[in-house]
Amino acid sequence: MSSRRAAWPLVAVFTAGYLASYLLPTIVGRLSVHLGLTPAQAGLVGSALLLSSASAGFTLAGRVERYGSRTPARAGLVLAAVGYGSAALAGSVPLVVASVVVGGFGSGAATAVAAAGIAAQRDPHRTSSLGLLTVSATAGALYLTIPHLGGGHRLPFAAIALVALLVWPATSRLNGPTAPDESTSRITGRLPHRRSGLVLAGGMLVWSMAQNALWGVSSRIGVVQAGLTEVTVGAVFAAALGAGLLGVMGAGVLGARAGRAVPIGLGTVVIAGSIVVSSSARDLGSFATGEILWNTVYPVVLSYLIGLAASLDVRGRWAVLAGSASSVGVACGPLLGSVLSEEAGYPAMGLILGAATLLVAAPVTAVALHTGGRPLVPGSVRRRGGAPAALLAATTGSLSGAVPKLGSPEQAVTELRVRRRRLVRSAIRTAGPDGGPGQSNAYASTSDR
C-alpha cells in the first residue's frame, strides 16, 4: 500500500468503520426503550455488533496488502450498508441482532483497511488524527439531530448505513492488489516487536473496555441518575464530541514533539478521573463536565495509541491486530457497563472502571518509551535500552517513508561497500558528526561482490 496515496480516502473509510462505536450510547438506549429490551440485553446487542467488527479485523490482519485495499473496503462498506439498513427496517429482536452482526463485520473490515493504510502513511499520527476528527464531527452532528427526529431504533442504524453508502465513491482512490516483489518479500516474515505489540494490544483491549463500558451507559446515567431529557443528553454528547474535535486538532498540531509516552500516560490518568466524575453525576453540570473532559482527552490518547501501533510494523499488521483487540474491548464494554451499573450502581461502576484504566496506563506507556514511537522495520539496530539507534537503509528494495529524514533522533548511517570478503577494521569509521572514536552508536553495513 503506497504511502504516497492521498490520505482522504482512508479517512473516509475510517469514519464509516468507526461511526457505529461512536453512536453506541444512542443505539443501546433506543434498543432498550423501543424494543423492550433490558439494559443488559441491549448492551449485549451492542457487544455482538462490536465483536463482529473485531472478528473482521482479526480476519484481515496481514491480508490487506495481498488483496489490496479497494476490494475489502468496498466489501466492508456493502456489508455495513446492508446490515445496518436491514437493522433499521427490522421490527423483531432476532432480525435486528442478525443484521447488526452483518453490519458490524462490515464496519470492522472498513476499519481494518483504514488501519493498514494509515500505517503505510509517512505520518500515521496525523492521518489517524484526521480520521478521529472526521468521525467525531459526524457523530456530533448526528447527536444533535437524531433526538429531534424520533424514529425509534431505526434512525441510528439508517444513519450509519447512509454514511457507508456516501463513502463508497472514495474507494476508487484506493489501490488494488499488488504482485509480491522483492521489497515486500523481505518483510513477510514474523511480526516485528512481538513483546511490545502484545503488551500494547492487551493494554488497548482493557483500556477500550473501560472507556466503552462508560460510553455504553452514559445515556442512561444522564437520563436516570442526572434526571436529564434525551434532547439534553444529546446536546451534552454533541458538545463533548465538539470538544473532542478540539482535542484531536491539538494532538495533530502537537504531533510527536512531546513523544507518545507523555500524551498516553498523562492522558490516561485524566481519563480515569473524568470517568469517576461522569459516573457519579447527579445534575447537568457534573454530567457535562465529566463527559466533555473525557471526550476531549479520549480521542487524543486514542490517536497516539493508533500511531504507536502503526509504528511497530510498516505493513500495518500491528495496527490492525491492536485495533481488533481494542474492538474486542469495545465490544465487551456495553455489557460490562450494564452489568456493573445494575449490580453496583453507577458511582461504584465508575470507580472500578477508573481503577482499571489506571492499571493499564503503566504498561502501555512503557511500550511508548521502549519503542520511542518511531518507524521500526525488521533489521533496525537498537540500543540496549530498546530505543532505535538507526535504521539500516538497504541498497535495493528499501521501504518508502520507513527511513527517517535528516534531523530525526536517529544518528546518520555510513554505508561502506567492500568489494573483498576480508574486512579491514581500520576502514570503518563512526557515523557521528565529527567521526571521532567517541561516537559509540554507529554502524556500517557491508556488501560482498
Side-chain angles (χ1 to χ4, degrees):
M1 189 175 300
S2 175
S3 62
R4 294 184 176 87
R5 288 186 173 269
W8 71 265
L10 295 172
V11 171
V13 175
F14 181 92
T15 300
Y18 248 74
L19 186 59
S21 62
Y22 267 68
L23 293 181
L24 196 62
T26 190
I27 290 174
V28 171
R30 291 195 169 214
L31 286 174
S32 178
V33 173
H34 297 281
L35 286 183
L37 301 177
T38 66
Q41 289 173 336
L44 187 59
V45 175
S47 295
L49 185 159
L50 296 169
L51 278 174
S52 180
S53 178
S55 67
F58 286 120
T59 301
L60 288 176
R63 294 181 172 88
V64 175
E65 188 178 62
R66 183 191 310 167
Y67 302 138
S69 55
R70 186 187 306 123
T71 299
R74 287 179 170 176
L77 293 176
V78 168
L79 289 175
V82 172
Y84 296 124
S86 300
L89 296 175
S92 64
V93 174
L95 286 178
V96 169
V97 173
S99 301
V100 157
V101 169
V102 173
F105 194 90
S107 292
T111 304
V113 171
I118 287 171
Q121 293 290 306
R122 294 187 184 277
D123 190 348
H125 177 259
R126 180 176 179 273
T127 308
S128 62
S129 296
L130 287 174
L132 291 171
L133 192 69
T134 306
V135 71
S136 296
T138 305
L142 291 174
Y143 273 117
L144 284 176
T145 56
I146 287 177
H148 296 282
L149 299 177
H153 74 283
R154 305 179 190 277
L155 197 57
F157 290 127
I160 302 171
L162 179 60
V163 170
L165 292 176
L166 292 176
V167 167
W168 172 273
T171 59
S172 62
R173 301 295 300 272
L174 299 176
N175 64 322
T178 56
D181 55 18
E182 182 182 359
S183 62
T184 58
S185 63
R186 297 179 63 170
I187 57 172
T188 54
R190 56 182 293 178
L191 277 169
H193 314 290
R194 281 186 148 186
R195 185 183 304 172
S196 296
L198 289 174
V199 171
L200 179 61
M204 288 183 68
L205 189 153
V206 177
W207 187 86
S208 297
M209 185 187 301
Q211 310 308 303
N212 283 273
L214 176 64
W215 187 237
V217 299
S218 287
S219 180
R220 299 206 304 273
I221 292 175
V223 173
V224 176
Q225 182 171 276
L228 307 177
T229 65
E230 184 185 6
V231 174
T232 304
V233 171
V236 171
F237 286 162
L241 291 173
L245 295 179
L246 298 178
V248 173
M249 287 189 290
V253 172
L254 179 62
R257 292 181 180 88
R260 288 192 175 99
V262 173
I264 290 174
L266 182 60
T268 301
V269 172
V270 174
I271 287 172
S274 62
I275 288 175
V276 174
V277 172
S278 181
S279 61
S280 60
R282 299 283 180 178
D283 53 30
L284 175 60
S286 56
F287 180 73
T289 300
E291 291 291 326
I292 290 174
L293 179 61
W294 177 43
N295 281 278
T296 300
V297 182
Y298 166 80
V300 174
V301 178
L302 182 58
S303 69
Y304 280 98
L305 289 173
I306 294 173
L308 178 59
S311 73
L312 296 179
D313 178 26
V314 293
R315 290 184 62 198
R317 288 172 292 178
W318 275 125
V320 175
L321 290 173
S324 299
S326 175
S327 296
V328 173
V330 171
C332 298
L335 181 60
L336 176 63
S338 298
V339 172
L340 286 177
S341 61
E342 286 186 349
E343 297 295 329
Y346 295 118
M349 177 201 71
L351 291 174
I352 295 172
L353 297 178
T357 303
L358 286 177
L359 284 177
V360 301
V364 173
T365 304
V367 172
L369 287 171
H370 178 71
T371 62
R374 303 185 185 100
L376 301 175
V377 295
S380 61
V381 180
R382 306 179 65 85
R383 294 189 184 95
R384 184 173 299 177
L391 293 173
L392 297 184
T395 57
T396 59
S398 61
L399 294 172
S400 175
V403 182
K405 299 178 181 179
L406 292 176
S408 63
E410 288 81 4
Q411 295 184 9
V413 176
T414 300
E415 186 178 84
L416 300 179
R417 300 182 182 276
V418 181
R419 296 183 177 275
R420 299 177 181 176
R421 292 188 176 273
R422 186 164 57 186
L423 180 66
V424 182
R425 291 182 177 272
S426 61
I428 302 178
R429 294 188 302 167
T430 56
D434 56 4
Q439 301 290 334
S440 58
N441 287 322
Y443 301 85
S445 63
T446 62
S447 59
D448 294 331
R449 290 188 178 182

